[in-house]
Amino acid sequence: MPAPLLDVQGLETQFKTQEGFSHAVNGVSFTLKEGETLGVVGESGCGKSVTMLSILRLVAMPPGRIVAGKALFHGQDLLTMSSEEIRQVRGAQIAMVFQDPMTSLNPVLTIGKQLEEPLALHMGMDKKQARERSIKLLEMVGIPNGKDRLNDYPHQFSGGMRQRVMIAMALSCNPQVLIADEPTTALDVTIQAQIMDLVKRLRDEMGMAIIWITHDLGVVADLAQRVLVMYGGFIIEEAMVTDLYANPSHPYTLGLLGSLPRLDAKRNDRLFSIEGYPPVLYRTPSACPFAPRCKYAIDHCWHENPKLEEIQPGHKIACWVDVKSGSERK
């Protein structure tokens, strides 16, 4: 079996606050294969974005700090690289599309300037080559009249068009991995569908691997092959997307799926709501972080945090309970 393209092992990230250290990411481990699309889901504050920002060393230090773990990319640890080495990886080999394109694009620079910069930096293109490549990139992501639009500023584009520009920038150097951090959240449903179709088409054409961060399991079903479910800074379930929908095995995943509207639902059926509040992250939990909100919780859940373990080939959960029987897992 070939080695994974990206292998993250025991990643821990903390933030210093007035109340103490916030444990945002707690021992996260996962792999990404070449050409694979990995979905990362969970509610706001569960550690999805911080995990990916930590891998690319984009966490502000201080107040953040990466206290443990490895992130092996082609066998090299991204977390121990020098500042110059990691800059050569970011954008060129691993690219990221952020949630809000208006705050990600520089408002005082033209789109052309922002597209041409990484091409000159990472691919050594001169101004003419970079400009020609930028026009092709805009056309590739569905922005018409690319030659004329290069001289426009971000505020002259709609939200959907700005996100297309961000995708064009991310793909400009033909990266092997694209990390998309909820790139459709701020867009209306029609534009969301267009961006999703665009990413899938470009993925198939370019053969790149994708990590898609979202809180919407409906998006994951249409895009990813494998899914990580995060809660309280931990991965609490990992499975192939078909298996996750057919056989969700963690109470939190059941709650997420229950909150999705279904086409086959009866008219008076109410969506499921997970009661309670997300965990306080100022201490590493000695118990299961989901126990206070879990209707399946047993005595063991309050005394020991379960490890992520395989329950069947390719399907892992961190839970003491078998949700089908309601009894403690053997």
Side-chain angles (χ1 to χ4, degrees):
M1 182 181 291
L5 183 61
L6 180 65
D7 184 4
V8 178
Q9 304 171 7
L11 180 66
E12 295 184 27
T13 303
Q14 301 174 1
F15 291 89
K16 187 175 183 180
T17 69
Q18 291 180 340
E19 290 80 10
F21 282 100
S22 174
H23 298 258
V25 179
N26 300 299
V28 165
S29 300
F30 66 91
T31 59
L32 179 71
K33 301 174 185 176
E34 288 190 25
E36 180 184 27
T37 301
L38 177 67
V40 183
V41 301
E43 61 194 43
S44 297
C46 72
K48 308 184 299 293
S49 299
V50 175
T51 296
M52 302 310 157
L53 291 172
S54 299
I55 291 169
L56 287 176
R57 305 254 299 277
L58 291 173
V59 172
M61 301 183 188
R65 62 175 187 174
I66 300 170
V67 297
K70 295 181 179 180
L72 303 177
F73 180 65
H74 288 303
Q76 292 185 297
D77 189 358
L78 300 173
L79 304 184
T80 59
M81 286 183 175
S82 67
S83 297
E84 181 58 33
E85 287 172 332
I86 193 66
R87 273 198 296 267
Q88 294 302 316
V89 172
R90 287 196 299 249
Q93 299 175 64
I94 304 177
M96 191 161 183
V97 179
F98 296 94
Q99 183 171 343
D100 185 358
M102 198 62 219
T103 57
S104 302
L105 292 167
N106 191 322
V108 299
L109 296 179
T110 64
I111 294 299
K113 178 69 174 176
Q114 296 181 66
L115 277 168
E116 292 163 14
E117 184 177 11
L119 294 170
L121 179 65
H122 294 298
M123 303 186 75
M125 292 186 179
D126 60 30
K127 188 169 181 63
K128 182 180 179 182
Q129 291 171 326
R131 195 161 187 83
E132 289 175 354
R133 170 71 172 159
S134 297
I135 294 170
K136 290 180 180 178
L137 285 166
L138 291 182
E139 292 172 351
M140 182 174 70
V141 298
I143 297 179
N145 304 318
K147 185 176 180 180
D148 298 327
R149 302 304 312 257
L150 286 179
N151 296 319
D152 289 343
Y153 290 84
H155 73 271
Q156 295 174 275
F157 289 75
S158 67
M161 286 296 183
R162 284 196 293 267
Q163 198 58 282
R164 288 171 186 264
V165 170
M166 286 298 300
I167 293 171
M169 290 177 64
L171 300 180
S172 60
C173 299
N174 298 320
Q176 294 172 280
V177 180
L178 175 68
I179 300 174
D181 187 2
E182 303 201 46
T184 61
T185 300
L187 308 175
D188 64 57
V189 176
T190 304
I191 305 301
Q192 282 185 28
Q194 292 176 4
I195 296 295
M196 293 283 294
D197 289 341
L198 169 65
V199 170
K200 285 189 287 185
R201 176 174 64 81
L202 295 174
R203 175 196 63 189
D204 296 339
E205 289 177 0
M206 301 175 68
M208 62 186 172
I210 295 176
I211 299 176
W212 191 279
I213 303 169
T214 182
H215 61 272
D216 188 348
L217 274 168
V219 169
V220 169
D222 191 40
L223 184 69
Q225 286 102 36
R226 192 159 53 92
V227 187
L228 306 177
V229 182
M230 292 191 68
Y231 184 83
F234 295 90
I235 295 175
I236 50 92
E237 186 158 9
E238 175 183 344
M240 300 301 291
V241 68
T242 51
D243 192 22
L244 188 85
Y245 282 81
N247 185 32
S249 300
H250 194 283
Y252 179 63
T253 310
L254 285 170
L256 289 180
L257 288 170
S259 67
L260 288 173
R262 298 174 59 97
L263 292 175
D264 60 351
K266 295 180 181 179
R267 185 170 184 177
N268 294 325
D269 285 353
R270 299 189 66 180
L271 294 178
F272 179 79
S273 176
I274 302 175
E275 297 183 358
Y277 299 93
V280 176
L281 300 177
Y282 294 121
R283 58 186 179 274
T284 303
S286 56
C288 174
F290 190 61
R293 306 174 70 184
C294 182
K295 66 178 182 180
Y296 297 93
I298 58 176
D299 188 57
H300 197 171
C301 303
W302 297 97
H303 295 94
E304 186 180 359
N305 190 7
K307 295 180 180 179
L308 189 68
E309 295 181 338
E310 194 167 65
I311 56 170
Q312 62 187 54
H315 195 155
K316 301 176 182 178
I317 64 166
C319 186
W320 296 120
V321 180
D322 182 340
V323 294
K324 291 181 180 178
S325 66
S327 58
E328 186 165 2
R329 192 177 297 278
K330 301 296 184 182

